[in-house]
Amino acid sequence: MLYDLYSESVAMRYSALVFTIAALAFSPSAHAKWGIIGKDDRRLVPKKFQKLARSIGLLYDSRWRHLCTAFCVGDDVIATNAHCLPYVNIKKRRRIRSVRHFRYFLMDNGQIRYQAKLKVNRVGNRDKPWVSVLSGRLARGAKRNSATAWRREKHQDWALAKLSLPVCRGDVLRFADPAFLRRRSNLRKSKIFSIGFHGDKRDNKRRYAPCRISKVTGRGNRLSVNHTCDTFLGASGSPIFAETPAGPRVIALVVGQVRGRKWRQDPNVRRVTVGRWQTNVGVLPLEFLPKLPRFQAAEFVGSPLPMKDLQTRLIAAGYLGGRADGRFGPLTRGAIVRIEKELGLTPLGLPTRRIIEHLSADAAAPPATAAPKT
């Protein structure tokens, strides 16, 4: 039923809230059109793609009133951009963000159909339980505010997150085959389109935008594309589809826009601007596709476990050196990856229930006794 996960009054309240935030925060009078390349080709989703659109929802940060698009890749797993979730933050202002402030909404005709919170992994500090998110590694510290740094690392701007309820219910989008994604000619020749939410539209309905890929950049699995799909604030995390023989498949996630200037050198050894350029950017899913099945099946810890306690267990088991500082950094992540490889698991670097149980079993095992001398 339409409201079998929550009451009708709660649904109406959140529907009005999201609509109000979208109308105020993304008013066309307050923002210039951002992400529109050439003619505005956005329109409501055609009937033949309505089934795809059912899997695409809104990710809302209630504390900072921030909207992104996300889509279902499992019954309780969504995919979006890393900058939309609290794992990383590339904004100019420092923000304390927590998964506790996020909700995911699936919409029908502008009204909320289902909603769920993000699932919290109870391992970590009380104010930072963000380790339940599997994400690319964007720049940290002062460098993350640099547009140049972001352009260099845009292929990492992806994230997977688990939901507290299986609201997707089989409406799951499928990705293109990795072999198809690695052939750049396939991407450039494909007929593509994006579906997502756009903040300048005040009806909370998804928009369809036909487009093409103009360039593929990067190496190995770290590939990104320049595309002409029209976007606006709120469209980050939207899936980009390609028409394949097996049907429409997701080939990339909308990330943002890169702008620049065209220069020429004048006789006085000064650069003069002769034009401007802009392109929309998307990230290919090659990095997280091998990890997706394991992330879907992973169980997070239900009872609180401070990060210091986890690090103490890792140190006692010989996976981590130094002392426990309570911070989930690269050394702690690397220690967890070592355990996952020993267990024959796809490395996620997250403190899942399987990792905690393995450490608990090691701690409970009796110490090995030396063989008697003969």
Side-chain angles (χ1 to χ4, degrees):
M1 295 179 63
L2 186 62
Y3 298 107
D4 57 349
L5 299 181
Y6 49 90
S7 67
E8 183 174 357
S9 60
V10 172
M12 293 178 65
R13 182 180 64 190
Y14 273 105
S15 181
L17 174 64
V18 174
F19 179 85
T20 303
I21 296 302
L24 294 179
F26 300 125
S27 172
S29 62
H31 299 277
K33 283 192 175 182
W34 185 92
I36 308 300
I37 296 179
K39 180 183 176 182
D40 189 347
D41 295 322
R42 297 174 298 167
R43 60 181 186 269
L44 291 176
V45 180
K47 187 175 181 180
K48 66 176 181 177
F49 297 132
Q50 286 291 339
K51 187 175 180 180
L52 297 176
R54 288 174 59 88
S55 307
I56 303 170
L58 270 172
L59 187 63
Y60 175 56
D61 181 350
S62 61
R63 180 170 183 176
W64 295 102
R65 299 183 176 183
H66 181 266
L67 294 174
C68 273
T69 301
F71 59 96
C72 296
V73 294
D75 285 346
D76 61 347
V77 179
I78 58 173
T80 187
N81 290 149
H83 72 258
C84 294
L85 287 167
Y87 176 78
V88 290
N89 178 21
I90 59 174
K91 303 295 182 184
K92 294 183 178 180
R93 285 194 301 162
R94 180 176 177 82
R95 296 181 178 184
I96 299 174
R97 307 177 73 187
S98 168
V99 294
R100 300 179 191 276
H101 304 142
F102 283 76
R103 286 180 180 269
Y104 178 64
F105 300 93
L106 284 174
M107 318 284 284
D108 264 348
N109 296 320
Q111 299 297 318
I112 296 175
R113 179 163 54 101
Y114 300 123
Q115 67 163 303
K117 296 180 180 179
L118 296 192
K119 191 175 184 66
V120 175
N121 191 349
R122 302 298 295 277
V123 178
N125 302 328
R126 183 176 181 182
D127 59 335
K128 287 187 177 180
W130 42 259
V131 288
S132 58
V133 175
L134 181 64
S135 171
R137 308 286 181 263
L138 293 181
R140 288 181 172 275
K143 291 183 179 179
R144 67 187 173 193
N145 294 333
S146 166
T148 303
W150 179 81
R151 285 198 295 267
R152 185 172 60 249
E153 298 181 343
K154 59 185 179 295
H155 57 269
Q156 300 267 48
D157 202 350
W158 57 265
L160 300 173
K162 277 210 169 187
L163 302 175
S164 59
L165 295 169
V167 296
C168 295
R169 301 190 170 193
D171 289 332
V172 175
L173 296 182
R174 300 177 64 182
F175 292 94
D177 186 82
F180 178 90
L181 296 174
R182 289 191 179 96
R183 291 184 62 89
R184 304 188 180 209
S185 59
N186 288 342
L187 299 173
R188 290 192 295 266
K189 294 177 182 178
S190 297
K191 180 180 178 182
I192 69 170
F193 60 91
S194 69
I195 299 177
F197 291 90
H198 298 250
D200 59 332
K201 307 297 183 180
R202 305 189 180 191
D203 51 9
N204 282 346
K205 294 181 179 180
R206 308 168 189 88
R207 280 332 194 255
Y208 164 92
C211 46
R212 63 181 181 84
I213 289 176
S214 56
K215 187 178 181 181
V216 183
T217 60
R219 293 183 299 176
N221 289 337
R222 298 184 170 187
L223 295 179
S224 59
V225 294
N226 296 348
H227 62 86
T228 62
C229 305
D230 287 331
T231 64
F232 197 85
L233 296 175
S236 294
S238 301
I240 299 176
F241 299 88
E243 296 278 10
T244 69
R249 294 290 184 268
V250 178
I251 61 168
L253 284 71
V254 170
V255 170
Q257 186 178 67
V258 177
R259 299 178 182 180
R261 298 180 181 182
K262 296 179 181 179
W263 305 88
R264 71 171 173 83
Q265 203 80 21
D266 72 355
N268 296 326
V269 195
R270 290 186 301 177
R271 292 197 302 177
V272 179
T273 302
V274 295
R276 299 177 184 271
W277 60 269
Q278 65 178 9
T279 182
N280 290 334
V281 179
V283 57
L284 268 65
L286 287 169
E287 269 203 305
F288 66 81
L289 274 180
K291 303 176 182 180
L292 180 57
R294 166 93 199 285
F295 186 78
Q296 291 173 331
E299 294 184 26
F300 291 130
V301 179
S303 57
L305 178 65
M307 185 58 66
K308 277 191 176 182
D309 290 356
L310 172 63
Q311 291 174 332
T312 301
R313 297 186 188 189
L314 290 170
I315 293 170
Y319 293 102
L320 185 64
R323 61 182 181 84
D325 59 3
R327 298 180 180 179
F328 190 74
L331 295 180
T332 305
R333 186 181 299 277
I336 293 174
V337 169
R338 282 181 56 193
I339 298 175
E340 291 173 321
K341 289 181 177 178
E342 287 182 6
L343 297 176
L345 304 173
T346 302
L348 299 180
L350 299 179
T352 59
R353 184 184 297 275
R354 180 74 180 275
I355 301 302
I356 304 303
E357 290 176 350
H358 177 76
L359 291 172
S360 300
D362 282 353
T369 57
K373 295 183 179 180
T374 58

